[in-house]
């Protein structure tokens, strides 16, 4: 039975899972339910968010006796349904261990990365590599076509050799078919790339490929393709 409000969820659940668009929305929901939280409750936040603000949220909730995990997820909605996702969590180790059964219901593997914020930082690392894998696949398939190589055969060759990545299985066929029905939207990944660049600036990391990636994504979003699947990065080429 659906709950009438977020406060009803907080009142009736020992463990509350959040899966929201960004940290701002998370903080809005936390502000709504905070008065209803009790000592010993656990907040499991799967949102890809700002690691610095995640740390602040974790400290504030800990003062109330509420445990907080930033348990970011690697995997599409379909992978979550199949129990094939990966969890990358930050927060108290004992809280992570206490949620093993919950993670096991949708993930094939779970990693404890450290204190609050560590899960969100790892998710940014993963999204950097994953997003660039999609972009380079899109460029490579388009390059093959321009050289007169059948892109479908090129994809088969790429899958067979050292250049292989799992992105080729998930997004290669969608790129070839121009099937951009969203599994994960390009607009949402642009948000993730912006978080990557903010973190890079803060920690003095050089990420020139991600800067170029942001420019490609921004142009596509401005052209009206933001709600298409991430495979639509091929439009940039």
């Amino acid at each position: 039975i659906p709950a009438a409000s977020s406060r009803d969820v907080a009142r009736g659940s020992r463990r509350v899972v959040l899966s929201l668009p960004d940290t701002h929305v998370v903080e809005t929901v936390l502000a709504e339910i905070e008065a209803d939280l009790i000592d010993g409750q656990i907040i499991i936040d799967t949102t890809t968010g700002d690691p610095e603000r995640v740390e602040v949220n974790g400290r504030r909730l800990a003062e109330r006796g509420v445990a907080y995990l930033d348990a970011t997820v690697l995997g599409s909605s379909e992978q979550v349904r199949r129990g094939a996702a990966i969890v990358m969590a930050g927060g108290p180790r004992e809280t992570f261990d206490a949620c093993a059964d919950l993670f096991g219901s949708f993930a094939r593997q779970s990693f404890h990365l450290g204190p609050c914020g560590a899960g969100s930082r790892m998710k940014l690392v993963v999204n950097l590599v994953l997003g660039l894998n999609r972009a380079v696949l899109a460029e490579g398939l388009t390059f093959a076509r321009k050289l007169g190589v059948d892109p479908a055969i090129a994809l088969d060759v790429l899958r067979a050799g050292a250049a292989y990545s799992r992105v080729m299985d998930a997004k290669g066929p969608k790129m070839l078919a121009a099937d951009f029905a969203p599994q994960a939207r390009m607009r949402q990944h642009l948000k993730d790339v912006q978080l990557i660049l903010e973190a890079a600036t803060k920690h003095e990391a050089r990420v020139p490929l991600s800067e170029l990636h942001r420019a490609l994504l921004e142009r596509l979003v401005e052209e009206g393709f933001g709600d298409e699947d991430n495979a639509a990065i091929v439009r940039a080429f």
Side-chain angles (χ1 to χ4, degrees), residues 13-233:
S13 307
R14 184 175 68 86
R15 298 182 297 190
V16 178
V17 179
L18 306 178
S19 186
L20 299 167
D22 55 42
T23 303
H24 173 73
V25 181
V26 169
E27 290 170 344
T28 299
V29 172
L30 289 177
E32 292 173 356
I33 68 174
E34 196 161 346
D36 299 291
L37 298 176
I38 60 173
D39 187 81
Q41 262 180 306
I42 298 174
I43 302 292
I44 302 151
D45 184 5
T46 69
T47 305
T48 300
D50 182 335
E52 314 301 325
R53 290 161 69 183
V54 163
E55 287 182 336
V56 172
N57 293 335
R59 286 195 298 269
R60 190 179 73 254
L61 289 169
E63 291 171 358
R64 297 178 53 87
V66 176
Y68 181 82
L69 291 177
D70 59 311
T72 55
V73 177
L74 171 60
S76 66
S77 299
E78 195 274 331
Q79 287 174 305
V80 169
R81 285 191 291 271
R82 290 192 286 109
I86 302 292
V87 171
M88 302 159 287
R93 178 73 204 210
E94 61 272 19
T95 307
F96 172 80
D97 291 340
C99 294
D101 61 323
L102 190 151
F103 297 147
S105 71
F106 67 87
R108 61 181 172 84
Q109 197 166 2
S110 299
F111 294 90
H112 182 253
L113 276 299
C116 280
S120 297
R121 290 189 175 92
M122 188 65 225
K123 182 63 183 293
L124 295 185
V125 173
V126 168
N127 279 356
L128 183 153
V129 175
L130 186 60
L132 290 176
N133 273 341
R134 285 193 296 261
V136 77
L137 174 61
E139 184 172 311
L141 292 177
T142 305
F143 185 50
R145 180 171 57 80
K146 291 291 187 180
L147 293 181
V149 177
D150 184 334
I153 296 175
L155 180 60
D156 288 341
V157 173
L158 290 169
R159 281 170 152 174
Y164 171 74
S165 75
R166 290 182 182 176
V167 163
M168 295 176 185
D169 298 332
K171 301 302 180 183
K174 287 178 73 67
M175 290 180 186
L176 293 179
D179 170 15
F180 304 135
Q183 295 172 331
R185 286 175 169 80
M186 197 154 36
R187 184 187 309 280
Q188 193 69 12
H189 188 62
L190 173 58
K191 181 267 296 183
D192 296 343
V193 174
Q194 289 166 336
L195 286 173
I196 288 165
L197 294 175
E198 289 168 9
T201 298
K202 180 177 178 61
H203 295 279
E204 299 182 343
R206 296 184 63 206
V207 288
L209 298 181
S210 290
E211 290 170 359
L212 176 58
H213 191 198
R214 176 175 62 179
L216 296 174
L217 292 168
E218 284 179 338
R219 193 185 84 203
L220 291 173
V221 170
E222 288 169 2
E223 291 174 356
F225 303 119
D227 289 323
E228 293 187 339
D229 187 77
N230 283 322
I233 185 67

